[in-house]
Amino acid sequence: MLGRQEDKLCGIFCALAALSFLCFVQSSSTGSTGMSVAKTTVDKLLKGYDIRLRPDFGGPPVIVGMSINIASIDSISEVNMDYTITMYFQQSWRDKRLAYGELNLNLTLDNRVADQLWLPDTYFLNDKKSFLHGVTVKNRMIRLHPDGTVLYGLRITTTAACMMDLRRYPLDEQNCTLEIESYGYTTDDIVFFWQGGDNAVTGVDKLELPQFSIVDIRLVSREVRFTTGSYPRLSLSFRIKRNIGYFILQTYMPSILITILSWVSFWINYDASAARVALG
């Protein structure tokens, strides 16, 4: 009896082990197949792809949607008339050459693939100095969708010019903008719009500035004309108000206390010259 029970238990364990092995092999095979299909798809998309030509070249303009998530406003300088902002800048457009049907999945690719794809020639019109973060790798993202939609994201810190009117300082309000424009493509080739409408810019409610409060933001989309043609331009406008409480504590209160303290010398006996000089 004991020998039969041991044989049954041994058979059950062997069956479970075999089933586990088959599941593992099937899972590994599925993962390898999926990776192989993805690799084949990417190779097929990039083969013969010409980054020199925009999507739908010779046809309708490329429609590029843009959105911004503001990570921080690092500084606002009255001396240099500028401000520094760190942001996540996303651009999205459709390139039919990158459409695929082999996978029903979005493909998030290595950031170096962006160098092999056509990208909008976007620049910041009022930029003084900018850089793309590169720790631990370049902070940029490229994601492909089955219908050919491309999502391109960057993490950028830029210092932008902001002309300020300081006649009412420190009771002033300033209007600072970030101007986004196409450098070479005219509106015949490319069109910009704020993706998400009024919600295209996020993160403003989380910002904390020591001297300012953000009163309002405004998004504008328009065309601008130059001698070389008409170009699309997007504007992000901040209306900021200086916090008077900061200056009351840092400037007005110390000045008032020093002035009041200097009046004490009028109540000191005129013979106590040393005390009068020290308080004066």
Side-chain angles (χ1 to χ4, degrees):
M1 292 292 291
L2 291 174
R4 290 180 179 178
Q5 289 180 353
E6 290 178 355
D7 291 340
K8 287 182 179 180
L9 290 174
C10 183
I12 292 172
F13 285 132
C14 289
L16 290 174
L19 182 62
S20 299
F21 179 74
L22 288 173
C23 290
F24 174 76
V25 170
Q26 185 177 4
S27 175
S28 300
S29 175
T30 302
S32 300
T33 303
M35 183 173 292
S36 176
V37 172
K39 181 181 182 302
T40 303
T41 301
V42 174
D43 290 340
K44 179 181 175 182
L45 293 176
L46 296 180
K47 184 178 180 181
Y49 186 93
D50 194 343
I51 66 173
R52 298 173 298 177
L53 302 178
R54 68 169 179 86
D56 296 325
F57 182 80
V62 183
I63 300 175
V64 181
M66 299 191 183
S67 61
I68 294 174
N69 179 268
I70 301 174
S72 64
I73 294 181
D74 305 318
S75 65
I76 300 176
S77 173
E78 297 87 357
V79 176
N80 298 320
M81 293 285 185
D82 59 28
Y83 69 98
T84 302
I85 182 173
T86 298
M87 60 183 171
Y88 299 92
F89 181 52
Q90 289 91 29
Q91 302 176 83
S92 178
W93 66 94
R94 188 180 181 192
D95 190 341
K96 295 177 182 178
R97 297 173 293 180
L98 298 175
Y100 56 90
E102 295 83 354
L103 289 171
N104 192 26
L105 298 171
N106 299 333
L107 295 175
T108 300
L109 305 176
D110 186 275
N111 74 86
R112 289 169 290 189
V113 177
D115 296 328
Q116 304 177 54
L117 301 179
W118 178 89
L119 301 174
D121 60 342
T122 310
Y123 80 106
F124 300 117
L125 183 68
N126 57 332
D127 165 66
K128 287 185 174 181
K129 180 177 62 177
S130 296
F131 65 90
L132 173 69
H133 290 260
V135 179
T136 56
V137 296
K138 286 185 178 180
N139 293 180
R140 57 180 183 173
M141 175 197 69
I142 195 79
R143 181 176 296 161
L144 305 181
H145 297 256
D147 65 347
T149 299
V150 182
L151 178 62
Y152 182 51
L154 302 166
R155 181 169 174 250
I156 302 172
T157 293
T158 182
T159 300
C162 177
M163 297 298 103
M164 301 183 186
D165 183 358
L166 301 173
R167 286 176 293 182
R168 299 191 67 239
Y169 179 94
L171 302 174
D172 57 322
E173 291 188 9
Q174 305 296 340
N175 191 64
C176 293
T177 62
L178 184 67
E179 307 283 348
I180 306 169
E181 190 174 305
S182 171
Y183 190 81
Y185 290 109
T186 65
T187 51
D188 295 331
D189 294 310
I190 198 168
V191 173
F192 290 166
F193 76 99
W194 287 112
Q195 192 165 28
D198 293 336
N199 298 318
V201 176
T202 58
V204 179
D205 54 335
K206 298 178 183 178
L207 297 178
E208 295 289 342
L209 301 174
Q211 295 188 31
F212 295 90
S213 297
I214 297 178
V215 179
D216 187 28
I217 64 168
R218 191 163 60 96
L219 305 179
V220 179
S221 176
R222 66 182 188 275
E223 294 182 12
V224 292
R225 290 188 173 276
F226 298 102
T227 55
T228 53
S230 180
Y231 296 85
R233 180 182 295 180
L234 299 181
S235 298
L236 167 60
S237 177
F238 301 93
R239 189 158 64 90
I240 55 177
K241 181 179 181 181
R242 201 178 301 271
N243 295 329
I244 186 62
Y246 175 87
F247 290 91
I248 289 176
L249 294 176
Q250 297 292 325
T251 304
Y252 289 110
M253 289 300 295
S255 299
I256 291 171
L257 291 174
I258 291 173
T259 302
I260 293 174
L261 187 61
S262 68
W263 292 346
V264 176
S265 63
F266 294 119
W267 282 270
I268 296 177
N269 192 310
Y270 66 88
D271 292 330
S273 57
R276 292 172 64 89
V277 170
L279 287 173

